[in-house]
């Protein structure tokens, strides 16, 4: 996954098809090419035999070739642990202009954490869309939505709602767990905006969708990307999260990722 060439005439899709034409032995390029990345970085997903994979890996200009790994959802800790509780100094004018891209399993948009109460107009810098699919709408809080699996950004598992609200959930008072630990729930930037990129389903979160979400989130104009997934320790040049985070960093976008639940 390299950088995109500066030439205006460059077509990622055409380039990727040309590369595959040189390595495909048995099937057609159309049957082999699964996804082409070209909004924020340069790469593609394809169905290849072992010999085709080896041939592709040996071509000049190819940075890495790796399998489409399935990742699992992970969890986070609270802001109080980092000393960023309710008493921390906040700057609302800056906070409301921050767009957090959440790459996860979707959200439940009716949650009070995603209310746009007391939140102003959507920042003009936003270049994304609300394509949430079935039974999903955006507002001035949840300003963007894309799904790469299933038919909606609406989650089947509360993990995405948890991580999105942890990052930028609005203030919700009187929250408790069955009457225990009553208090106010809020994210790190309560007035910030959220863009949801659903890449997880019950079977897991595949690497091809992870890269697709990074490709879109970077081009959509998010300021921060949060991703709480894990799939074991791999080299950075074949790790979708590391590759996506690197290209986000080159555009000035910070990525926060979970370290794991295994201790």
């Amino acid at each position: 996954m390299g950088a995109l060439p500066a030439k205006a005439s460059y077509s990622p899709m055409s380039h990727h098809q040309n590369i595959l034409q040189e390595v495909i032995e048995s099937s057609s390029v159309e049957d082999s090419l699964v996804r082409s990345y070209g909004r924020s970085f340069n790469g593609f997903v394809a169905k290849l035999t072992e010999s085709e994979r080896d041939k592709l890996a040996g071509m000049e200009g190819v940075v890495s070739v790796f399998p489409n790994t399935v990742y699992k959802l992970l969890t986070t800790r609270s802001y109080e642990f980092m000393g960023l509780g309710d008493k921390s100094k906040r700057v609302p004018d800056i906070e409301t202009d921050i767009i957090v891209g959440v790459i996860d399993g979707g959200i439940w948009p009716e949650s009070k954490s995603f209310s746009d109460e007391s939140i102003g107009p959507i920042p003009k810098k936003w270049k994304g869309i609300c394509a949430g699919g079935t039974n999903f709408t955006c507002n001035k809080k949840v300003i963007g939505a894309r799904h790469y699996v299933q038919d909606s950004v609406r989650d089947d598992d509360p993990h995405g709602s948890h991580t999105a609200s942890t990052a930028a959930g609005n203030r919700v008072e009187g929250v408790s767990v069955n009457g225990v630990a009553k208090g106010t729930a809020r994210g790190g930037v309560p007035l910030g905006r959220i863009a949801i990129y659903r890449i997880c389903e019950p079977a897991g979160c595949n690497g091809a969708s992870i890269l697709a979400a990074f490709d879109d989130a970077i081009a959509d104009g998010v300021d921060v990307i949060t991703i709480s997934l894990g799939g074991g320790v791999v080299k950075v040049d074949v790790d979708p999260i590391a590759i996506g985070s690197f290209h986000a960093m080159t555009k000035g976008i910070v990525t926060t990722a979970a370290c794991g639940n295994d201790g």
Side-chain angles (χ1 to χ4, degrees):
M1 300 292 168
L4 288 165
K7 293 189 300 183
S9 60
Y10 177 76
S11 169
M13 175 69 78
S14 296
H15 186 200
H16 302 158
Q17 290 174 333
N18 290 337
I19 291 174
L20 285 173
Q21 284 177 346
E22 296 186 36
V23 301
I24 295 298
E25 299 169 350
S26 56
S27 62
S28 67
V29 170
E30 289 73 20
D31 291 336
S32 175
L33 185 62
V34 176
R35 184 185 294 275
S36 178
Y37 304 118
R39 296 191 70 200
S40 305
F41 48 82
N42 199 3
F44 60 87
V45 181
K47 300 174 184 177
L48 302 173
T49 64
E50 288 188 10
S51 61
E52 291 169 346
R53 176 202 62 195
D54 293 341
K55 188 175 180 180
L56 177 62
M59 293 180 66
E60 183 179 353
V62 174
V63 177
S64 60
V65 179
F66 51 92
N68 184 15
T69 305
V70 175
Y71 289 72
K72 297 180 180 179
L73 295 165
L74 302 175
T75 59
T76 63
R77 291 297 301 272
S78 72
Y79 289 102
E80 281 69 22
F81 178 78
M82 299 183 291
L84 299 174
D86 274 338
K87 295 182 180 180
S88 300
K89 183 179 180 180
R90 293 169 53 196
V91 185
D93 288 344
I94 294 177
E95 188 176 306
T96 194
D97 199 47
I98 294 174
I99 303 171
V100 180
V102 181
I103 300 177
D104 208 285
I107 63 166
W108 196 260
E110 289 81 15
S111 168
K112 292 182 180 179
S113 293
F114 307 127
S115 165
D116 61 2
E117 182 179 353
S118 302
I119 296 179
I122 294 172
K124 294 181 180 179
K125 65 182 180 181
W126 174 240
K127 300 187 289 289
I129 59 174
C130 182
T134 304
N135 194 26
F136 191 97
T137 57
C138 295
N139 56 21
K140 291 183 292 183
K141 178 67 170 178
V142 180
I143 63 174
R146 297 178 187 267
H147 58 99
Y148 308 87
V149 295
Q150 305 291 332
D151 62 355
S152 174
V153 175
R154 185 177 290 273
D155 62 3
D156 302 313
D157 177 295
H159 187 275
S161 293
H162 161 63
T163 56
S165 60
T166 299
N170 210 337
R171 288 176 59 87
V172 183
E173 298 181 355
V175 175
S176 70
V177 179
N178 297 323
V180 178
K182 291 183 179 180
T184 298
R186 68 168 183 85
V189 280
L191 297 180
R193 317 309 174 113
I194 297 172
I196 304 294
Y197 301 87
R198 182 181 182 181
I199 52 101
C200 299
E201 53 188 338
C205 324
N206 68 72
S209 294
I210 292 172
L211 285 166
F214 267 106
D215 191 32
D216 284 331
I218 295 167
D220 286 345
V222 304
D223 299 296
V224 179
I225 293 173
T226 178
I227 180 167
S228 296
L229 311 176
V233 178
V234 296
K235 293 181 178 180
V236 294
D237 63 337
V238 296
D239 180 354
I241 297 176
I243 292 168
S245 299
F246 171 79
H247 287 285
M249 179 269 296
T250 65
K251 301 294 174 62
I253 300 168
V254 174
T255 299
T256 63
C259 293
N261 295 342
D262 299 327

